[in-house]
Coordinates of all heavy atoms in Angstrom, one line a residue:
G1 N 141.8 85.8 130.8 CA 141.2 86.5 129.7 C 140.6 85.5 128.8 O 140.6 84.3 129.0
D2 N 139.9 86.0 127.8 CA 139.1 85.2 126.8 C 140.1 84.6 125.8 O 141.1 85.2 125.5 CB 138.1 86.1 126.1 CG 137.1 86.6 126.9 OD1 136.7 85.9 127.9 OD2 136.6 87.7 126.6
I3 N 139.8 83.4 125.3 CA 140.5 82.8 124.2 C 139.7 82.9 122.9 O 138.5 82.6 123.0 CB 140.8 81.3 124.7 CG1 141.8 81.2 125.8 CG2 141.4 80.6 123.4 CD1 142.0 79.8 126.3
V4 N 140.4 83.3 121.9 CA 139.8 83.3 120.7 C 140.4 82.3 119.8 O 141.6 82.2 119.6 CB 140.0 84.8 120.0 CG1 139.5 84.8 118.5 CG2 139.4 85.9 120.8
L5 N 139.6 81.5 119.1 CA 140.0 80.4 118.2 C 139.4 80.7 116.8 O 138.1 80.8 116.7 CB 139.7 79.1 118.6 CG 140.1 77.9 117.7 CD1 141.6 77.8 117.6 CD2 139.5 76.6 118.4
L6 N 140.1 80.8 115.8 CA 139.7 80.9 114.4 C 140.1 79.6 113.7 O 141.1 79.1 113.8 CB 140.4 82.1 113.7 CG 140.1 83.4 114.4 CD1 141.0 84.6 113.7 CD2 138.7 83.8 114.5
A7 N 139.1 79.1 113.0 CA 139.4 77.8 112.3 C 138.7 77.9 111.0 O 137.6 78.5 110.7 CB 138.8 76.6 113.1
K8 N 139.3 77.2 110.0 CA 138.7 77.1 108.6 C 138.5 75.6 108.2 O 139.4 74.8 108.7 CB 139.7 77.7 107.6 CG 139.9 79.2 107.8 CD 140.9 79.7 106.7 CE 141.2 81.2 106.9 NZ 142.2 81.7 106.0
P9 N 137.5 75.3 107.5 CA 137.3 73.9 107.2 C 138.4 73.4 106.2 O 138.9 74.1 105.3 CB 135.9 73.9 106.4 CG 135.7 75.3 106.1 CD 136.5 76.2 106.9
V10 N 138.8 72.1 106.3 CA 139.7 71.5 105.4 C 139.0 70.2 104.9 O 138.4 69.4 105.6 CB 141.0 71.1 106.2 CG1 141.9 70.3 105.4 CG2 141.6 72.3 106.8
T11 N 139.2 70.0 103.6 CA 138.5 68.8 102.9 C 139.7 67.7 102.7 O 140.8 68.1 102.1 CB 137.9 69.2 101.6 OG1 136.9 70.1 101.9 CG2 137.3 68.0 101.0
L12 N 139.4 66.5 103.2 CA 140.4 65.4 103.1 C 139.6 64.3 102.4 O 138.4 64.1 102.7 CB 140.9 64.9 104.3 CG 141.8 65.9 105.2 CD1 142.2 65.3 106.5 CD2 143.0 66.1 104.4
T13 N 140.2 63.6 101.5 CA 139.7 62.3 101.0 C 140.5 61.1 101.6 O 141.6 61.4 102.1 CB 139.7 62.3 99.4 OG1 141.0 62.6 99.0 CG2 138.7 63.4 98.9
E14 N 140.1 60.0 101.3 CA 140.9 58.8 101.8 C 142.3 58.8 101.4 O 142.7 59.0 100.3 CB 140.2 57.6 101.2 CG 138.8 57.3 101.8 CD 138.3 56.0 101.2 OE1 138.9 55.0 101.3 OE2 137.1 56.1 100.6
G15 N 143.1 58.7 102.5 CA 144.6 58.5 102.3 C 145.2 59.9 102.3 O 146.5 60.0 102.3
D16 N 144.5 61.0 102.4 CA 145.1 62.3 102.4 C 145.7 62.7 103.8 O 145.2 62.2 104.8 CB 144.1 63.4 102.0 CG 143.8 63.5 100.5 OD1 144.5 62.9 99.8 OD2 142.9 64.3 100.1
R17 N 146.6 63.7 103.8 CA 147.2 64.2 105.0 C 147.2 65.7 104.8 O 147.6 66.2 103.7 CB 148.6 63.7 105.1 CG 149.4 64.4 106.1 CD 151.0 64.0 106.1 NE 151.1 62.6 106.3 CZ 151.5 62.0 107.4 NH1 151.7 62.8 108.4 NH2 151.6 60.7 107.5
V18 N 146.8 66.4 105.8 CA 146.9 67.8 105.8 C 147.7 68.2 107.1 O 147.4 67.8 108.1 CB 145.5 68.5 105.7 CG1 144.7 68.3 107.1 CG2 145.7 70.1 105.5
T19 N 148.7 69.1 106.8 CA 149.5 69.6 108.0 C 148.8 70.9 108.5 O 148.4 71.8 107.7 CB 150.9 70.0 107.5 OG1 151.6 68.8 107.0 CG2 151.7 70.6 108.6
L20 N 148.5 70.9 109.8 CA 147.9 72.0 110.4 C 148.8 73.2 110.4 O 149.9 73.1 110.8 CB 147.4 71.7 111.8 CG 146.4 70.5 111.9 CD1 146.0 70.4 113.4 CD2 145.3 70.6 111.0
T21 N 148.3 74.3 109.8 CA 149.1 75.6 109.9 C 148.3 76.6 110.6 O 147.1 76.4 110.9 CB 149.4 76.0 108.5 OG1 148.2 76.4 107.8 CG2 150.1 74.9 107.7
T22 N 148.8 77.8 110.8 CA 148.0 78.9 111.4 C 146.9 79.4 110.4 O 146.2 80.2 110.8 CB 149.0 80.0 111.8 OG1 149.7 80.5 110.6 CG2 149.9 79.6 112.9
D23 N 146.8 78.9 109.2 CA 145.7 79.2 108.3 C 144.5 78.4 108.7 O 143.4 78.7 108.3 CB 146.1 78.9 106.8 CG 147.0 79.8 106.3 OD1 147.2 81.0 106.8 OD2 147.7 79.5 105.3
V24 N 144.7 77.3 109.5 CA 143.5 76.4 109.8 C 143.2 76.6 111.2 O 142.1 77.3 111.5 CB 143.9 74.9 109.6 CG1 142.8 74.0 110.0 CG2 144.2 74.6 108.1
P25 N 143.9 76.2 112.3 CA 143.6 76.7 113.6 C 144.5 77.6 114.0 O 145.7 77.4 114.0 CB 143.6 75.4 114.4 CG 144.8 74.6 113.8 CD 144.7 75.0 112.3
V26 N 144.1 78.8 114.6 CA 145.1 79.7 115.2 C 144.3 80.3 116.5 O 143.1 80.5 116.4 CB 145.5 80.9 114.3 CG1 144.4 81.7 113.9 CG2 146.6 81.6 114.9
A27 N 145.0 80.4 117.6 CA 144.3 80.9 118.8 C 145.1 81.9 119.5 O 146.3 82.1 119.2 CB 144.1 79.7 119.7
T28 N 144.5 82.8 120.2 CA 145.1 83.7 121.0 C 144.4 83.9 122.3 O 143.2 83.7 122.4 CB 145.2 85.1 120.3 OG1 146.0 86.0 121.1 CG2 143.8 85.7 120.0
D29 N 145.1 84.2 123.4 CA 144.5 84.4 124.7 C 144.8 85.7 125.3 O 144.5 86.0 126.5 CB 144.8 83.3 125.7 CG 146.3 83.3 126.1 OD1 147.0 84.0 125.5 OD2 146.6 82.5 127.0
G30 N 145.4 86.6 124.5 CA 145.7 88.0 124.9 C 146.9 88.1 125.7 O 147.3 89.2 126.2
T31 N 147.7 87.0 125.9 CA 149.0 87.1 126.6 C 150.1 87.4 125.6 O 149.8 87.3 124.4 CB 149.3 85.8 127.4 OG1 149.5 84.7 126.5 CG2 148.1 85.4 128.4
S32 N 151.3 87.6 126.1 CA 152.4 87.7 125.2 C 153.1 86.4 124.8 O 154.0 86.4 124.1 CB 153.4 88.7 125.9 OG 153.9 88.0 127.1
K33 N 152.5 85.2 125.2 CA 153.1 83.9 124.9 C 152.0 83.0 124.3 O 151.7 81.9 124.8 CB 153.6 83.4 126.2 CG 154.7 84.2 126.8 CD 155.4 83.5 127.9 CE 156.3 84.4 128.5 NZ 157.7 84.0 128.5
P34 N 151.5 83.3 123.0 CA 150.6 82.5 122.4 C 151.1 81.1 122.0 O 150.4 80.1 121.9 CB 150.1 83.2 121.1 CG 151.3 84.1 120.8 CD 151.8 84.5 122.2
E35 N 152.5 80.9 121.9 CA 153.0 79.6 121.5 C 152.9 78.7 122.7 O 153.0 77.5 122.5 CB 154.6 79.8 121.3 CG 155.4 80.2 122.5 CD 155.5 81.7 122.8 OE1 154.8 82.5 122.1 OE2 156.2 82.1 123.7
K36 N 152.5 79.1 123.9 CA 152.3 78.2 125.0 C 150.9 77.6 125.1 O 150.6 76.8 126.0 CB 152.7 78.8 126.3 CG 154.1 79.1 126.3 CD 154.6 79.4 127.7 CE 156.2 79.5 127.7 NZ 156.8 79.1 128.9
L37 N 150.0 78.1 124.1 CA 148.6 77.6 124.2 C 148.6 76.1 123.9 O 149.3 75.6 123.0 CB 147.8 78.3 123.1 CG 147.4 79.7 123.5 CD1 146.7 80.5 122.4 CD2 146.5 79.9 124.8
L38 N 147.8 75.4 124.5 CA 147.7 73.9 124.4 C 146.3 73.6 123.8 O 145.3 74.1 124.4 CB 147.9 73.3 125.7 CG 147.7 71.7 125.7 CD1 148.9 71.1 124.9 CD2 147.6 71.2 127.1
Y39 N 146.2 72.8 122.8 CA 145.0 72.4 122.1 C 144.8 71.0 122.6 O 145.7 70.2 122.7 CB 145.1 72.3 120.6 CG 145.3 73.5 119.9 CD1 146.5 74.2 119.6 CD2 144.1 74.1 119.3 CE1 146.5 75.3 118.9 CE2 144.2 75.3 118.6 CZ 145.4 75.9 118.4 OH 145.5 77.1 117.7
A40 N 143.6 70.7 123.1 CA 143.2 69.3 123.5 C 142.2 68.8 122.5 O 141.2 69.5 122.2 CB 142.6 69.4 124.9
V41 N 142.4 67.6 122.0 CA 141.5 67.0 121.0 C 140.5 66.3 121.8 O 140.7 65.1 122.3 CB 142.2 66.1 120.0 CG1 141.3 65.5 119.0 CG2 143.4 66.9 119.3
S42 N 139.3 66.9 122.0 CA 138.3 66.2 122.8 C 137.4 65.2 121.9 O 136.8 64.3 122.4 CB 137.3 67.3 123.5 OG 136.7 68.0 122.5
L43 N 137.4 65.5 120.6 CA 136.6 64.6 119.7 C 137.5 64.5 118.5 O 137.5 65.2 117.5 CB 135.3 65.3 119.3 CG 134.4 64.5 118.3 CD1 133.9 63.2 119.0 CD2 133.2 65.3 118.0
P44 N 138.2 63.3 118.5 CA 139.1 63.1 117.3 C 138.4 62.7 116.1 O 137.3 62.4 116.1 CB 140.0 61.8 117.8 CG 139.1 61.2 118.9 CD 138.2 62.2 119.5
P45 N 139.1 62.8 114.9 CA 138.5 62.5 113.7 C 138.0 61.0 113.7 O 138.7 60.2 114.1 CB 139.5 62.8 112.7 CG 140.7 63.2 113.3 CD 140.5 63.2 114.7
V46 N 136.8 60.7 113.1 CA 136.4 59.3 113.0 C 137.1 58.6 111.9 O 137.4 57.4 112.0 CB 134.8 59.4 112.7 CG1 134.3 57.9 112.4 CG2 134.1 60.0 113.8
H47 N 137.5 59.3 110.8 CA 138.1 58.7 109.6 C 139.6 58.9 109.6 O 140.1 59.1 108.5 CB 137.4 59.2 108.4 CG 135.9 59.1 108.3 ND1 135.4 57.8 108.3 CD2 134.9 60.0 108.5 CE1 134.0 58.0 108.2 NE2 133.8 59.3 108.4
G48 N 140.2 58.8 110.7 CA 141.7 59.0 110.7 C 142.2 59.4 112.1 O 141.5 59.0 113.1
Q49 N 143.3 60.2 112.2 CA 143.8 60.7 113.4 C 144.6 61.9 113.2 O 145.1 62.3 112.1 CB 144.6 59.5 114.1 CG 145.8 59.1 113.2 CD 146.4 57.8 113.7 OE1 145.7 57.0 114.3 NE2 147.7 57.6 113.5
I50 N 144.9 62.5 114.4 CA 145.9 63.7 114.4 C 147.2 63.1 115.0 O 147.3 62.3 115.9 CB 145.3 64.7 115.5 CG1 143.9 65.2 115.0 CG2 146.3 65.9 115.6 CD1 143.9 65.8 113.8
E51 N 148.3 63.4 114.2 CA 149.6 62.9 114.5 C 150.6 64.1 114.6 O 150.4 65.1 113.9 CB 150.1 62.0 113.4 CG 149.3 60.8 113.2 CD 149.8 59.9 112.1 OE1 150.8 60.3 111.4 OE2 149.3 58.8 111.9
H52 N 151.7 63.9 115.4 CA 152.8 64.8 115.4 C 153.7 64.1 114.3 O 153.9 62.9 114.3 CB 153.5 64.8 116.8 CG 154.5 65.8 116.9 ND1 155.8 65.7 116.4 CD2 154.4 67.1 117.5 CE1 156.4 66.8 116.6 NE2 155.6 67.6 117.3
I53 N 154.3 65.0 113.5 CA 155.2 64.5 112.4 C 156.4 63.7 112.9 O 156.9 62.8 112.1 CB 155.5 65.6 111.4 CG1 156.5 66.6 112.1 CG2 154.3 66.2 110.7 CD1 157.1 67.5 111.0
N54 N 156.8 63.9 114.1 CA 157.9 63.2 114.6 C 157.5 61.8 115.1 O 158.4 61.0 115.3 CB 158.6 63.9 115.9 CG 159.3 65.2 115.3 OD1 159.5 65.5 114.2 ND2 159.6 66.1 116.3
Y55 N 156.2 61.5 115.2 CA 155.8 60.2 115.7 C 154.6 59.7 114.7 O 153.5 59.6 115.1 CB 155.3 60.3 117.1 CG 156.3 60.8 118.0 CD1 156.3 62.2 118.4 CD2 157.3 60.1 118.5 CE1 157.3 62.8 119.3 CE2 158.3 60.6 119.3 CZ 158.3 62.0 119.7 OH 159.2 62.5 120.5
P56 N 155.0 59.5 113.4 CA 154.0 59.0 112.5 C 153.3 57.7 113.0 O 154.0 56.8 113.4 CB 154.7 58.8 111.2 CG 156.2 58.7 111.6 CD 156.3 59.4 112.9
G57 N 152.0 57.6 112.7 CA 151.2 56.4 113.2 C 150.7 56.4 114.5 O 149.9 55.5 114.9
V58 N 151.2 57.4 115.3 CA 150.8 57.5 116.7 C 149.8 58.6 116.9 O 150.2 59.8 116.7 CB 151.9 57.7 117.6 CG1 151.5 57.8 119.1 CG2 153.0 56.6 117.4
P59 N 148.6 58.4 117.2 CA 147.5 59.4 117.4 C 147.9 60.2 118.7 O 148.4 59.8 119.6 CB 146.2 58.7 117.6 CG 146.5 57.4 117.9 CD 147.9 57.1 117.4
I60 N 147.7 61.6 118.6 CA 147.9 62.4 119.8 C 146.6 63.0 120.2 O 145.6 63.2 119.4 CB 148.9 63.5 119.4 CG1 148.5 64.4 118.2 CG2 150.3 62.9 119.1 CD1 149.4 65.6 118.0
S61 N 146.5 63.4 121.5 CA 145.2 64.0 122.0 C 145.5 65.5 122.4 O 144.5 66.1 122.8 CB 144.8 63.2 123.2 OG 145.7 63.2 124.2
S62 N 146.7 66.0 122.3 CA 147.0 67.4 122.5 C 148.2 67.8 121.7 O 149.1 67.0 121.4 CB 147.1 67.6 124.0 OG 148.2 67.0 124.5
Y63 N 148.2 69.1 121.5 CA 149.5 69.7 120.8 C 149.5 71.2 121.2 O 148.5 71.8 121.6 CB 149.4 69.5 119.3 CG 148.1 69.9 118.6 CD1 148.1 71.2 118.1 CD2 147.1 69.0 118.5 CE1 146.9 71.6 117.4 CE2 145.9 69.4 117.8 CZ 145.9 70.7 117.3 OH 144.7 71.0 116.7
R64 N 150.6 71.8 121.0 CA 150.7 73.2 121.3 C 150.6 74.1 120.1 O 150.9 73.7 118.9 CB 152.1 73.5 122.0 CG 152.2 72.7 123.3 CD 153.4 73.3 124.1 NE 153.4 72.6 125.4 CZ 152.7 73.0 126.4 NH1 151.8 73.9 126.3 NH2 152.8 72.3 127.6
Q65 N 150.3 75.4 120.3 CA 150.3 76.4 119.1 C 151.7 76.4 118.5 O 151.8 76.5 117.3 CB 149.9 77.7 119.7 CG 149.9 78.9 118.7 CD 148.7 78.8 117.8 OE1 147.7 78.1 118.1 NE2 148.7 79.6 116.8
L66 N 152.7 76.2 119.3 CA 154.0 76.2 118.7 C 154.2 75.1 117.7 O 154.9 75.3 116.6 CB 155.1 76.1 119.9 CG 156.6 76.3 119.4 CD1 156.8 77.7 118.8 CD2 157.5 76.1 120.6
D67 N 153.6 74.0 118.0 CA 153.7 72.8 117.0 C 152.9 73.2 115.7 O 153.3 72.8 114.6 CB 153.1 71.6 117.6 CG 153.8 71.0 118.8 OD1 155.0 71.1 118.8 OD2 153.1 70.5 119.7
V68 N 151.8 74.0 115.8 CA 151.1 74.3 114.6 C 152.0 75.3 113.8 O 152.1 75.2 112.6 CB 149.7 75.0 115.1 CG1 149.0 75.6 113.8 CG2 148.8 74.0 115.7
V69 N 152.5 76.3 114.5 CA 153.4 77.3 113.8 C 154.5 76.6 113.1 O 154.9 77.0 112.0 CB 153.9 78.4 114.8 CG1 154.9 79.3 114.2 CG2 152.7 79.2 115.3
A70 N 155.1 75.5 113.8 CA 156.2 74.9 113.1 C 155.8 73.8 112.2 O 156.7 73.1 111.5 CB 157.0 74.2 114.3
Q71 N 154.5 73.7 111.9 CA 153.9 72.7 111.0 C 154.3 71.3 111.3 O 154.8 70.5 110.5 CB 154.2 73.1 109.5 CG 153.7 74.4 109.1 CD 154.0 74.7 107.7 OE1 154.6 74.1 106.9 NE2 153.5 75.9 107.3
K72 N 154.1 70.9 112.5 CA 154.5 69.6 113.1 C 153.3 68.7 113.4 O 153.5 67.6 113.9 CB 155.4 69.6 114.3 CG 156.7 70.3 113.9 CD 157.7 70.2 115.0 CE 159.1 70.7 114.5 NZ 160.2 69.8 114.7
V73 N 152.1 69.1 113.1 CA 150.9 68.4 113.4 C 150.0 68.1 112.2 O 149.8 69.0 111.4 CB 149.9 69.2 114.5 CG1 148.7 68.4 114.8 CG2 150.7 69.5 115.7
S74 N 149.6 66.9 111.9 CA 148.9 66.5 110.7 C 147.6 65.8 111.1 O 147.5 65.1 112.1 CB 149.7 65.6 109.8 OG 150.8 66.3 109.4
D75 N 146.6 66.1 110.2 CA 145.4 65.4 110.3 C 145.5 64.2 109.1 O 145.7 64.6 108.0 CB 144.2 66.2 110.1 CG 142.8 65.5 110.2 OD1 142.8 64.3 110.2 OD2 141.8 66.3 110.3
I76 N 145.4 63.0 109.6 CA 145.5 62.0 108.5 C 144.2 61.3 108.3 O 143.5 60.9 109.2 CB 146.5 60.8 109.1 CG1 147.8 61.5 109.6 CG2 146.8 59.8 108.0 CD1 148.6 62.3 108.7
H77 N 143.8 61.2 107.1 CA 142.5 60.4 106.8 C 142.9 59.1 106.3 O 143.7 58.8 105.3 CB 141.7 61.2 105.6 CG 140.4 60.7 105.3 ND1 140.2 59.4 104.9 CD2 139.2 61.3 105.5 CE1 138.8 59.2 104.8 NE2 138.3 60.4 105.1
D78 N 142.3 58.1 107.0 CA 142.7 56.7 106.7 C 141.7 56.1 105.8 O 140.7 56.8 105.4 CB 142.8 55.8 107.9 CG 141.5 55.7 108.7 OD1 140.4 55.9 108.2 OD2 141.6 55.3 109.9
N79 N 141.9 55.0 105.3 CA 141.0 54.3 104.3 C 140.1 53.2 105.0 O 139.5 52.4 104.3 CB 141.9 53.6 103.3 CG 142.8 54.5 102.4 OD1 142.3 55.6 102.2 ND2 143.9 54.1 102.1
S80 N 139.9 53.4 106.3 CA 139.1 52.3 106.9 C 137.6 52.5 107.0 O 136.8 51.7 107.3 CB 139.6 52.1 108.4 OG 139.4 53.3 109.1
H81 N 137.2 53.7 106.6 CA 135.8 54.1 106.6 C 135.4 54.7 105.3 O 136.2 55.1 104.5 CB 135.5 55.1 107.7 CG 135.9 54.6 109.1 ND1 135.3 53.6 109.7 CD2 136.9 55.0 109.9 CE1 135.8 53.3 110.9 NE2 136.8 54.2 111.0
G82 N 134.1 54.7 105.1 CA 133.6 55.4 103.8 C 133.7 56.9 103.9 O 134.1 57.4 104.9
A83 N 133.4 57.5 102.8 CA 133.6 59.0 102.7 C 132.4 59.6 103.6 O 131.4 59.1 103.8 CB 133.4 59.5 101.3
G84 N 132.7 60.8 104.0 CA 131.6 61.5 104.7 C 132.3 62.7 105.5 O 133.5 62.8 105.6
K85 N 131.5 63.6 105.9 CA 132.0 64.8 106.6 C 132.2 64.5 108.1 O 131.5 63.7 108.6 CB 131.0 66.0 106.4 CG 130.8 66.5 105.0 CD 130.1 67.7 105.2 CE 130.0 68.4 103.7 NZ 129.3 69.6 103.7
E86 N 133.2 65.1 108.6 CA 133.5 65.0 110.0 C 134.1 66.3 110.5 O 134.5 67.0 109.7 CB 134.4 63.8 110.3 CG 135.8 63.9 109.8 CD 136.6 62.8 110.2 OE1 136.2 61.9 111.0 OE2 137.7 62.5 109.6
S87 N 134.3 66.3 111.8 CA 134.9 67.5 112.3 C 135.9 67.1 113.5 O 135.8 66.0 114.0 CB 133.9 68.6 112.9 OG 133.2 68.0 113.9
L88 N 136.8 67.9 113.7 CA 137.7 67.7 114.7 C 137.5 68.8 115.9 O 137.3 70.0 115.5 CB 139.2 68.0 114.2 CG 140.3 68.2 115.2 CD1 140.6 66.8 115.9 CD2 141.5 68.6 114.4
R89 N 137.3 68.3 117.1 CA 137.0 69.3 118.2 C 138.1 69.2 119.2 O 138.6 68.1 119.5 CB 135.8 69.0 118.8 CG 134.6 69.4 117.9 CD 133.3 69.2 118.7 NE 132.2 69.3 117.7 CZ 131.0 69.1 118.0 NH1 130.6 68.8 119.1 NH2 130.1 69.3 117.1

């Protein structure tokens, strides 16, 4: 079936961290097991990284919907680049 992904923009400044919740990315594929959906980060943030809270400082390239529901995934904005807009894909 089709996969539906709803996302809302999040604003981060240098040094900020935002925990991804179902208010930001939430997906469904029409099955009875949405917690098994896997997100793959094909274009990571330029000004930071996506991390699992159990492994701070280690960038991740994928995570599950269950991790989002449990609020275990964060977008970290580092101080290595100037301000600017970016997106996570």
Side-chain angles (χ1 to χ4, degrees):
D2 295 328
I3 294 177
V4 176
L5 176 65
L6 303 173
K8 294 180 183 176
V10 174
T11 302
L12 291 174
T13 56
E14 291 181 53
D16 281 354
R17 165 190 301 260
V18 67
T19 300
L20 302 184
T21 67
T22 55
D23 289 340
V24 179
V26 64
T28 182
D29 68 351
T31 69
S32 62
K33 298 189 185 240
E35 68 277 2
K36 294 196 176 209
L37 287 173
L38 179 69
Y39 291 86
V41 181
S42 60
L43 183 62
V46 174
H47 304 291
Q49 61 192 28
I50 304 299
E51 298 179 357
H52 192 282
I53 63 165
N54 292 345
Y55 306 100
V58 179
I60 58 174
S61 60
S62 65
Y63 53 92
R64 297 195 176 280
Q65 179 78 9
L66 188 58
D67 294 324
V68 174
V69 171
Q71 298 183 359
K72 295 192 176 228
V73 179
S74 294
D75 184 349
I76 313 301
H77 190 296
D78 65 21
N79 295 328
S80 65
H81 302 291
K85 290 188 177 186
E86 68 176 347
S87 63
L88 164 70
R89 291 187 187 175

